Amino acid sequence: MPYFTTSDGVRLRYEVQGSGKNVIAFLNGIAMNIDGWRMQADFLKGKGFLVLLHDMRGQGASDKPRAEYSLERHVLDLKELLDFLGFDEVSLVGISYGGKVSLMAALSMPDRIKNLVILNSSHTVDRALKLRVDRWILAARLKSGRFLWQAMVPDIFSDRFLNDNFSFVSSLAPGFELIDFVSFEEMAKAFTRVDLHGKLSVLNTQALVVAGTDDKFFPPRYSRLIVEELPMGKYYELDCGHVSIWEKPREVNELIYKFLSGDKK
């Protein structure tokens, strides 16, 4: 299990899979770790891509410093990791929290980010979204994975998926006990402090923005707002909830592959 140490001494777990010159870096959702991308990583490395996964500070097997978190620091961590690995140009695929970090990375490193795929995310923060985030924060403060699971699951899966796959959804509950609740709260606060509304029009990066029709946490209107600002943004909507990579893995994999292979239609 390789680790990289950032300039401020935080150890980040990362993995590099596959081979080739086309590098894809995946950026996690807030409660994810790199294992959540297995279906996408396995598919794309089989298509000739080099895949980079990492747990952000506060997530998974990476360090969880007791300090205020920021999306800007996540972007700097990514830059330092790319420097360490010698990756001069990458495509970013980010979901939810990772989608916003991906947009900030593109703004920070426009010459380095070749393509963007933004899944089930938002670049802005309105009152409705803030209230949903606050509910997750309150659940995290109870220091119970079960309570956090109860708060998040109805938001992140479509009703259809919950009803048809509840044994799978229930199997996720023990993993919520492994979440560092203090870091989770700090990351959630960091997300709400950043509003990129009106700032994306300077990006000339090819971008695919994917929404879930039944996404209750980031309804499709948030994805449409992103596309409205991106000069080279394309919009696609899937019939699923917030965690599109699990509800519709085959469709997501094909969308990413076609887009990064040059089909921008």
Side-chain angles (χ1 to χ4, degrees), residues 141-158:
R141 287 177 179 170
L142 294 173
K143 302 294 191 293
S144 164
R146 182 68 184 186
F147 279 115
L148 188 57
W149 179 89
Q150 287 284 146
M152 293 183 69
V153 158
D155 288 339
I156 64 176
F157 293 111
S158 66

Side-chain angles (χ1 to χ4, degrees), residues 4 25 29 64 66 69 75 92 120 134 144 146 153 162 230-231 235-236:
F4 161 74
K64 301 163 182 68
R66 292 302 186 250
Y69 284 51
V75 171
L92 296 182
N120 307 89
D134 285 347
S144 164
R146 182 68 184 186
V153 158
L162 284 172
L230 290 172
Y235 177 82
Y236 196 92

Side-chain angles (χ1 to χ4, degrees), residues 118-121 208-215 218-224 234-242 244 255:
I118 308 298
L119 305 168
N120 307 89
S121 192
L208 174 65
V209 182
V210 180
T213 301
D214 296 323
D215 190 336
F218 292 134
R221 63 186 177 86
Y222 291 105
S223 294
R224 295 192 191 103
K234 302 293 182 182
Y235 177 82
Y236 196 92
E237 193 167 313
L238 289 169
D239 183 19
C240 65
H242 184 64
S244 58
L255 280 172

Side-chain angles (χ1 to χ4, degrees), residues 10-74:
V10 173
R11 295 169 71 244
L12 302 181
R13 178 197 177 192
Y14 75 93
E15 289 184 11
V16 177
Q17 303 178 18
S19 61
K21 296 181 179 179
N22 293 319
V23 182
I24 307 173
F26 289 91
L27 298 183
N28 302 344
I30 189 171
M32 281 179 66
N33 59 52
I34 62 177
D35 294 329
W37 292 108
R38 292 303 176 199
M39 288 182 282
Q40 287 68 48
D42 289 347
F43 176 81
L44 289 162
K45 72 182 181 182
K47 295 289 188 179
F49 288 91
L50 192 154
V51 173
L52 170 62
L53 305 164
H54 83 283
D55 290 332
M56 299 183 206
R57 59 177 66 207
Q59 295 182 323
S62 291
D63 286 350
K64 301 163 182 68
R66 292 302 186 250
E68 182 177 278
Y69 284 51
S70 72
L71 301 194
E72 291 84 358
R73 183 67 233 194
H74 290 314

Side-chain angles (χ1 to χ4, degrees), residues 78-131:
L78 174 63
K79 179 182 181 301
E80 292 179 355
L81 179 57
L82 295 177
D83 290 343
F84 171 74
L85 295 171
F87 296 156
D88 295 326
E89 187 177 67
V90 300
S91 295
L92 296 182
V93 178
I95 188 167
S96 192
Y97 189 95
K100 196 170 191 177
V101 176
S102 296
L103 289 168
M104 291 186 66
L107 288 168
S108 176
M109 302 178 279
D111 296 331
R112 201 165 189 176
I113 307 306
K114 183 177 179 181
N115 298 287
L116 284 171
V117 179
I118 308 298
L119 305 168
N120 307 89
S121 192
S122 171
H123 75 312
T124 191
V125 180
D126 57 19
R127 188 172 296 277
L129 176 55
K130 181 68 163 53
L131 287 170

Side-chain angles (χ1 to χ4, degrees), residues 163-227:
N163 288 327
D164 293 345
N165 301 275
F166 193 68
S167 60
F168 166 75
V169 176
S170 296
S171 74
L172 301 175
F176 277 73
E177 299 292 348
L178 303 177
I179 293 172
D180 186 276
F181 303 114
V182 174
S183 297
F184 179 94
E185 178 178 345
E186 289 302 319
M187 292 176 73
K189 290 177 180 176
F191 187 93
T192 60
R193 282 196 294 268
V194 175
D195 196 326
L196 299 176
H197 180 69
K199 299 179 181 179
L200 303 183
S201 61
V202 298
L203 288 177
N204 290 315
T205 309
Q206 297 274 4
L208 174 65
V209 182
V210 180
T213 301
D214 296 323
D215 190 336
K216 302 166 203 168
F217 199 77
F218 292 134
R221 63 186 177 86
Y222 291 105
S223 294
R224 295 192 191 103
L225 288 172
I226 294 173
V227 173

